Amino acid sequence: MKARMIFAAAVVVALVVGAAIGGWYVLRGQPPAFCEISGRPIHANMLTRVRVNGEILYTCCARCPLTLAAQDGQKVQILQVTDFATGKRLEAGDAFFVEGSRVHMCSGPRVKRDEARTPMVELFDRCEPSLLAFAQEQEARDFIAQNGGTLRRLPDLMQEVTSRKPSAG
């Protein structure tokens, strides 16, 4: 009888430990809910996976790491983006980007108030101009026809960032 109880307890402990380890692996594979650069919420159709100085990060949009590279001179590589139209992930080099449309998924409010409730207009936003990814060129062009913007490819965006010098201070 005592051997059965010990065996049953061992099985229960093994199941609990196995479930905990399995849960840890599942959760570890999930991207975070907030951008690891700006701290903003990550919208489902905007998730971007990047390498910054060798570390893999998830960001709220493709513009966020480009701004980081331009401001701080950090080595940034955009690895994977999310198709804005379908929510499916794709390699960044295969994407067609729409820059500067009227759609701003992760930007904050333009008018803010200080402690004295005085309104101030925000002049800089790290996620501007907006940068949305599409898997199909025609979908990107259709989006531009409705929402404005410019069609861009990743090499052009990266070249623009690497040609800028980081700002001092």
Side-chain angles (χ1 to χ4, degrees):
M1 178 76 169
K2 190 173 188 177
R4 276 189 184 166
M5 289 192 61
I6 291 173
F7 178 74
V11 167
V12 169
V13 167
L15 287 173
V16 169
V17 169
I21 291 171
W24 180 77
Y25 276 110
V26 168
L27 289 176
R28 195 177 125 213
Q30 298 290 347
F34 295 92
C35 178
E36 294 180 291
I37 294 175
S38 70
R40 291 180 174 168
I42 298 176
H43 299 281
N45 291 16
M46 297 292 291
L47 176 71
T48 302
R49 190 166 69 92
V50 301
R51 181 177 290 122
V52 177
N53 295 331
E55 182 182 356
I56 300 294
L57 300 175
Y58 291 91
T59 65
C60 56
C61 64
R63 176 64 62 197
C64 208
L66 293 176
T67 300
L68 180 69
Q71 286 181 329
D72 296 344
Q74 297 198 34
K75 185 177 179 187
V76 170
Q77 181 182 9
I78 299 177
L79 305 172
Q80 199 175 52
V81 293
T82 304
D83 179 14
F84 188 74
T86 65
K88 294 181 180 175
R89 294 189 195 174
L90 66 141
E91 297 303 311
D94 297 334
F96 296 88
F97 292 92
V98 175
E99 180 179 57
S101 74
R102 288 185 292 275
V103 177
H104 305 270
M105 296 298 292
C106 60
S107 297
R110 287 276 185 230
V111 177
K112 297 185 177 199
R113 296 183 185 271
D114 65 8
E115 298 82 29
R117 311 270 309 145
T118 304
M120 301 178 293
V121 177
E122 185 176 274
L123 298 177
F124 171 78
D125 189 316
R126 74 174 306 104
C127 298
E128 290 294 331
S130 64
L131 194 58
L132 311 175
F134 291 85
Q136 303 297 319
E137 182 178 3
Q138 190 56 51
E139 285 181 344
R141 290 189 183 282
D142 292 344
F143 183 87
I144 290 169
Q146 293 179 355
N147 300 289
T150 307
L151 188 66
R152 303 289 302 271
R153 296 303 302 263
L154 185 61
D156 298 329
L157 293 166
M158 296 307 295
Q159 177 64 36
E160 187 177 299
V161 168
T162 56
S163 66
R164 290 187 203 159
K165 292 191 190 273
S167 59

